[in-house]
Amino acid sequence: MAKSIKIGNIVLVKVSDDGEEKIARVVSVSHQNETAMVMFLDDLFCDTYLDSVPLLNCRLYENRKVI
C-alpha cells in the first residue's frame, strides 16, 4: 500500500500506538528513506502543520460519505 502513496494524495496517518489517525496531504515522498512529508489537516481540510512520517503509517483516505 505504501508504494501507491503519491504527492497530493490525502492520507490517514497513524499517530499513536492506540490507533489514533489524523488526515494529512502528502507533500513529498522518499522511497529511499521510506518516509513521507505530510501537511496535517484540520476538520475543514485547512493546513495545520508539516511533519515527516514513516510510509508504513500512511494509508489512502477513502471517505466516500456524501453530505
Side-chain angles (χ1 to χ4, degrees):
M1 177 68 80
K3 293 283 185 188
S4 65
I5 303 288
K6 297 177 183 156
I7 294 172
N9 285 148
I10 302 297
V11 295
L12 286 173
V13 180
K14 182 179 172 187
V15 293
S16 67
D17 292 335
D18 66 355
E20 181 185 359
E21 293 181 314
K22 292 187 177 183
I23 298 172
R25 179 175 37 86
V26 178
V27 177
S28 69
V29 177
S30 172
H31 290 291
Q32 182 178 7
N33 296 328
E34 297 182 2
T35 59
M37 186 66 71
V38 298
M39 177 63 73
F40 283 96
L41 307 171
D42 63 13
D43 294 339
L44 299 175
F45 287 85
C46 296
D47 296 348
T48 55
Y49 65 96
L50 192 66
D51 200 2
S52 178
V53 296
L55 279 176
L56 292 176
N57 289 356
C58 298
R59 66 183 177 95
L60 289 175
Y61 178 71
E62 297 180 12
N63 186 0
R64 306 245 187 252
K65 184 165 73 171
V66 177
I67 298 175

